[in-house]
Amino acid sequence: MLTCFIRYEIDPYKKDAFAEYARNWGQAIPRCGADLIGYFAPHEGTTTTAYGVYSLPDLAAYEAYRQRLQNDPLGQENYRFAQKEQFIRREDRQFYLLASGPHGTRIKP
């Protein structure tokens, strides 16, 4: 399993726009084939750093997913929304492999 971490630098005065952007990806990303872990907006501490995290089986699945996302109506609309509103100042995308698995069972207190 390959996990993509997207680090965003956002305009701190446009956090609401980023939240709308994140909610839109919450619909489009799973529909296009990735396992969305979530989008995370600033809350405490930083006002400019946000994250998006999703997983796919491998790079071939990632390439197919990206093609579907580019053709998805909501995906296209969300790209245009980000360009128009300019709330994203910088975006860094990195891929990681899980190194700690398999995990033990979580014990509930």
Side-chain angles (χ1 to χ4, degrees):
M1 185 66 69
L2 195 61
T3 301
C4 179
F5 288 79
I6 308 169
R7 181 187 175 277
Y8 295 96
E9 181 183 325
I10 64 170
D11 183 328
Y13 299 104
K14 296 184 177 182
K15 288 192 289 186
D16 290 343
F18 180 81
E20 181 178 340
Y21 176 79
R23 284 190 300 274
N24 290 338
W25 286 138
Q27 300 304 308
I29 289 174
R31 181 172 60 233
C32 290
D35 180 18
L36 180 62
I37 296 165
Y39 268 72
F40 302 88
H43 176 66
E44 186 83 19
T46 183
T47 60
T48 60
T49 303
Y51 293 93
V53 185
Y54 60 88
S55 293
L56 291 144
D58 52 37
L59 280 176
Y62 171 74
E63 292 300 328
Y65 152 78
R66 291 289 293 173
Q67 187 63 48
R68 286 188 300 271
L69 194 62
Q70 288 176 349
N71 294 322
D72 183 80
L74 181 55
Q76 292 172 350
E77 181 182 322
N78 217 26
Y79 286 126
R80 285 191 299 270
F81 173 64
Q83 288 174 341
K84 179 182 175 232
E85 297 298 322
Q86 297 186 355
F87 51 87
I88 298 173
R89 294 179 172 170
R90 181 179 171 154
E91 179 178 328
D92 297 313
R93 188 177 310 266
Q94 297 181 347
F95 295 88
Y96 294 92
L97 294 172
L98 179 66
S100 62
H103 296 150
T105 304
R106 180 175 174 254
I107 297 173
K108 297 179 183 179

